[in-house]
Amino acid sequence: VVKTQSSIFARCLLALLLLGMISSAHAVTIANFKTGVDETNGDALLADDAADVTWSIVSITGGSDGSTPRAATTAAGSLPGGWSGNTIAGTGFITRGTSVVGADTATYVYQTTFILDKTSFADFAFSGSAWADNSVSVILNGNVIGTSANLATLNFSTMNQSYFLNGLNTLQLSVYNNVTDTGVSFSGLITATPVPEPHEWAMMLIVFGFCGWHYRARWQPLVARARSGAGASACLSRTGALPCLFGVRRHASAFCDEPWRILRIRSVSS
């Protein structure tokens, strides 16, 4: 009686599954961006007019002001009309260097930088939300990910791997202001999947190699027996060259156990 291969095959599949679960990790957070918060104090909201040192104003087109954004939480007792209901969760507004009100018609570019390691992580993704008075564009390393409509919330996301650089990266919020009040509320998150370590690849290759060696070793006697005309009933493929991958039935009229495989039984006798 020829023993089935099912149990060995199942063991190989189980080993590969376990190795896959060990070596492949879920996406992890690489970078988290917020405006108007104190990163050294658990992302607590900054006091009104406190400097947000995470961001800097690197460009002002059509106007003038300071280079350090200021938190805008109350602005003389209350935020400008419409701002409170549009604050992105967990963030505060930042504005030009002096006051939230009386700003020029201009484009203010807020910037922050961060480091990515593309040798240890892959499948980067960047997503988040922003709201600005009047509108905002989210720009990653010179690539515009999204632009809001006037006084509208922007929800953005990208998985374009060319947007992410190994090493220093630059994130910008380009805010267009149409006279009077200006400010931006922003939250963004970058996630990635850890790249398997060399020893994890080695373990998977070893299991693959063992499965291949095992089936080759078990197939060869079956093929030799069938070709020698030993009178055995073998489960053969249409070419008659390989036994059924999952097992052998003794009766020539029977089919392989797996109905999805178009394989047939034929008796080989001398």
Side-chain angles (χ1 to χ4, degrees):
V1 178
V2 181
K3 296 182 180 180
T4 67
Q5 311 291 310
S6 301
S7 60
I8 302 298
F9 183 77
R11 291 170 191 169
C12 287
L13 283 181
L14 179 59
L16 289 173
L17 178 61
L18 291 175
L19 281 175
M21 292 173 63
I22 294 172
S23 61
S24 62
H26 294 293
V28 296
T29 298
I30 300 298
N32 188 13
F33 310 97
K34 292 181 179 181
T35 56
V37 300
D38 184 356
E39 294 183 348
T40 64
N41 188 27
D43 285 349
L45 290 178
L46 290 169
D48 192 30
D49 204 38
D52 188 339
V53 295
T54 302
W55 300 85
S56 61
I57 298 176
V58 296
S59 174
I60 301 174
T61 304
S64 61
D65 236 316
S67 60
T68 302
R70 298 285 175 172
T73 54
T74 58
S78 63
L79 289 171
W83 282 30
S84 297
N86 290 292
T87 307
I88 304 303
T91 76
F93 280 92
I94 54 175
T95 186
R96 61 181 195 158
T98 54
S99 172
V100 66
V101 297
D104 299 319
T105 298
T107 298
Y108 298 86
V109 179
Y110 301 84
Q111 177 175 296
T112 189
T113 58
F114 59 98
I115 302 294
L116 291 181
D117 181 4
K118 296 188 74 172
T119 62
S120 301
F121 296 91
D123 301 325
F124 289 88
F126 183 31
S127 61
S129 301
W131 189 93
D133 187 345
N134 286 85
S135 64
V136 57
S137 294
V138 178
I139 306 170
L140 179 60
N141 295 316
N143 303 288
V144 178
I145 299 176
T147 299
S148 71
N150 184 53
L151 301 176
T153 298
L154 169 67
N155 296 308
F156 65 89
S157 65
T158 183
M159 293 185 67
N160 190 327
Q161 300 305 298
S162 66
Y163 290 179
F164 304 91
L165 304 180
N166 187 44
L168 185 66
N169 289 251
T170 301
L171 173 62
Q172 294 179 328
L173 307 176
S174 180
V175 176
Y176 172 72
N177 178 58
N178 185 18
V179 189
T180 66
D181 312 327
T182 186
V184 59
S185 173
F186 173 82
S187 176
L189 187 70
I190 292 181
T191 60
T193 303
V195 174
E197 297 292 336
H199 72 274
E200 294 173 336
W201 285 114
M203 290 174 65
M204 287 189 282
L205 289 174
I206 289 172
V207 174
F208 273 118
F210 169 76
C211 291
W213 171 84
H214 172 77
Y215 277 102
R216 181 178 175 83
R218 295 298 295 267
W219 283 345
Q220 285 179 335
L222 293 177
V223 174
R225 185 176 180 185
R227 287 177 176 173
S228 67
S233 295
C235 175
L236 301 177
S237 68
R238 290 193 174 188
T239 63
L242 295 175
C244 177
L245 194 61
F246 291 90
V248 174
R249 299 289 293 271
R250 288 181 58 84
H251 302 291
S253 60
F255 286 84
C256 289
D257 295 339
E258 290 69 35
W260 58 85
R261 292 185 169 274
I262 309 175
L263 302 175
R264 58 192 173 86
I265 307 295
R266 79 179 180 190
S267 178
V268 180
S269 59
S270 55

